[in-house]
Amino acid sequence: MHTPHTDAPPEPPQHRPVPLSAGVLALCSALLLALVAAEWRPLLGLDGDISRTTHRWALAEPGLTQTARVLTDWVWDPWTMRVLCGAAAGLLVWRYADRWTALWLVLTVAVATAVQQGLKAALDRARPVWPDPVDSAHYAAFPSGHAMTATVVCGLLLWLLNRRGAGGVLWRTALTVAVVSVTGVGLTRVWLGVHWPTDVLGGWLFGALVVAAAVGIHRHRHPRHAHGGR
């Protein structure tokens, strides 16, 4: 019997924003990386102006500066974020028996760390230097590891919550905590004078790019879940 040929159904519109977002993020990340590597003077001047201003504020507000140190060293530290990621992976295995997603989550965070360290080594950008520092940090400056790790972990966990159909108070709370954490950790790094503003921007951009790429991989691996969530 002859079976009439039918065209494959068009790709659902939910799939399209992921590669589009990844493309835009890749372009913005590459542009910022090129400008930082080339030491483009207008960008360096803006970095310096913002950093000098925030450093004066940090010296004038010791209580706020101490709070920023606690938040950046303990609450939003990259290792705190990695432990949170590990706990989420454990929950995926224990509660949902979803070993593939748990492995995907851990590997994505590991890849993000490798990308971050590779960029730091390649650019070897110097951190701000102050005669009266309020904090210290090691290794190269670009991109901010705190900002990138927080973006990756919070972005992945939000997507997983969305995929599991979280809503109501849980979703709003998680979204608020994620936004405050990603924004807050970037601001504390500049406030404490250990990163230039473009280091933080680079961390946010590369972190978001890793999340977009990871979500695309997961959707390709598990297309049946691509339409779930919000």
Side-chain angles (χ1 to χ4, degrees), residues 103-113 152 156 210-211 214:
L103 180 62
W104 165 86
L105 178 62
V106 172
L107 286 179
T108 300
V109 175
V111 167
T113 301
V152 170
L156 293 175
V210 169
V211 171

Side-chain angles (χ1 to χ4, degrees), residues 127-128 135-140 146 189 192-195:
R127 293 178 183 267
D135 202 356
S136 62
H138 305 289
Y139 310 114
H146 281 68
R189 304 310 284 167
L192 295 172
V194 294
H195 274 294

Side-chain angles (χ1 to χ4, degrees), residues 72-92:
T72 198
D73 290 342
W74 296 98
V75 180
W76 297 325
D77 180 75
W79 280 108
T80 303
M81 291 292 161
R82 291 169 189 140
V83 169
L84 179 61
C85 166
L91 180 63
L92 284 168

Side-chain angles (χ1 to χ4, degrees), residues 44-54 56 196:
L44 298 185
L46 181 61
D47 264 346
D49 290 343
I50 295 174
S51 295
R52 282 188 291 271
T53 300
T54 54
R56 288 197 300 270
W196 305 105

